[in-house]
Amino acid sequence: MASNSSIEQINLYSNILKKDMAITVYLPKDYDECHLLPVLYFLHGRSGSENIIFELDILGTTDLLIQKKIIKPLIIICPRLENSRGLNSSIITKEIISSNLNGQMINLGRYEDYFIEEIVPFIDKNYKIIANKTGRFIGGASAGGYAALNYSLRYSNLFSKIGGHMPVLELQLDQEDIPYFNTIDVWKKNNPLYIAKESVIPFDLQIYLDAGKDEGEFYNGCLELFKILRNKDINVQNHIFEGHHNIEYIKSNLKNYLIFYAA
């Protein structure tokens, strides 16, 4: 491998989803000479893809912070989760046109199982990472922030640092999200607010929440989750920054996120 930092683009055939799924991987400078590094899984939003790694210029920002010794070197993984919310929503992988989303296509299938049972073991096996929770972090933007919180609170043995960046945290089931869940019980089972209320959460988790001040409901969701976690004495921080619910907001705050994960 080259001594400079790089981004790898790979295809992983999913036996669970029965199709090829793309993953982009950031490798820091001199990766081939490194021993073991921490890994950050960064999940895209509803209309995004693994190309969020390019849209946010993750390579440039991470390189600069490492060069200035503000953060330690790490590997960053951006998997394609399609428009799935990262959920186990159907036994069979399928695409449907949702009238609830003005005719937008959504992806149903075992996306949670794909992430937990295929992506994480694949990365553990093929990259020089600290393959336990102390060196494994997860975060995401919008629907990816929702998925990151969902996974980490339910699989707290896998991750030590969690970031929900303008996460889609709903206080009530939105009509447009019904195709993902079908019933209110399934929605609650996958809602980080309900998971946090009902779960025993390890005290060694570190959680970072943030949203733009113009986001309304989603910021209120962050505040509600923050209160739940604080009442359980979990190490959680909640931020409100300038901006709206868009990629520019995430890009403008990427430095803050990386410092949380890798300082």
Side-chain angles (χ1 to χ4, degrees), residues 22 24-25 104 112 124 141 147 157 173 178 188 226 233 238 244:
T24 51
V25 180
Q104 185 176 349
E112 174 188 317
D124 283 356
N157 60 309
L173 177 57
I178 289 175
K188 287 181 178 179
F226 173 75
D233 294 322
N238 187 35
H244 299 269

Side-chain angles (χ1 to χ4, degrees), residues 110-174:
R110 293 170 53 201
Y111 285 85
E112 174 188 317
D113 291 344
Y114 164 62
F115 183 84
I116 298 297
E117 298 176 21
E118 293 187 317
I119 293 179
V120 172
F122 175 83
I123 298 301
D124 283 356
K125 180 180 179 180
N126 289 280
Y127 291 91
K128 297 191 290 185
I129 66 167
I130 302 168
N132 59 55
K133 71 176 292 181
T134 62
R136 193 184 290 121
F137 319 136
I138 186 169
S142 190
Y146 162 92
L149 291 166
N150 185 344
Y151 295 160
S152 58
L153 293 174
R154 292 170 55 237
Y155 299 94
S156 55
N157 60 309
L158 292 179
F159 308 101
S160 57
K161 293 184 180 181
I162 301 103
H165 311 304
M166 63 177 197
V168 180
L169 292 176
E170 298 172 330
L171 302 179
Q172 57 186 5
L173 177 57
D174 194 302

Side-chain angles (χ1 to χ4, degrees), residues 7 10 37 42 45 76 112 126-127 184 196 238-239 242 248:
I7 291 178
I10 58 179
L37 296 171
F42 199 86
I76 302 175
E112 174 188 317
N126 289 280
Y127 291 91
I184 192 73
N238 187 35
H239 301 273
E242 294 289 333
E248 287 76 20

Side-chain angles (χ1 to χ4, degrees), residues 27 39 69 81 88 98 118 123 137 147 169 206 217 242:
L27 298 175
V39 59
K69 300 188 184 304
L81 291 176
N88 281 346
S98 173
E118 293 187 317
I123 298 301
F137 319 136
L169 292 176
Q206 299 179 54
E217 180 187 3
E242 294 289 333

Side-chain angles (χ1 to χ4, degrees), residues 184-246:
I184 192 73
D185 289 338
V186 175
W187 174 73
K188 287 181 178 179
K189 177 185 176 182
N190 289 279
N191 189 320
L193 295 169
Y194 287 87
I195 298 168
K197 286 179 183 177
E198 299 171 4
S199 301
V200 176
I201 302 172
F203 291 115
D204 59 353
L205 285 187
Q206 299 179 54
I207 301 175
Y208 184 112
L209 303 172
D210 70 280
K213 72 174 187 178
D214 300 315
E215 289 210 58
E217 180 187 3
F218 296 152
Y219 178 72
N220 291 333
C222 282
L223 183 59
E224 182 65 22
L225 182 57
F226 173 75
K227 292 176 180 177
I228 294 168
L229 294 169
R230 281 294 296 270
N231 286 337
K232 293 193 172 193
D233 294 322
I234 303 302
N235 183 353
V236 57
Q237 48 185 296
N238 187 35
H239 301 273
I240 181 168
F241 297 123
E242 294 289 333
H244 299 269
H245 195 91
N246 53 36

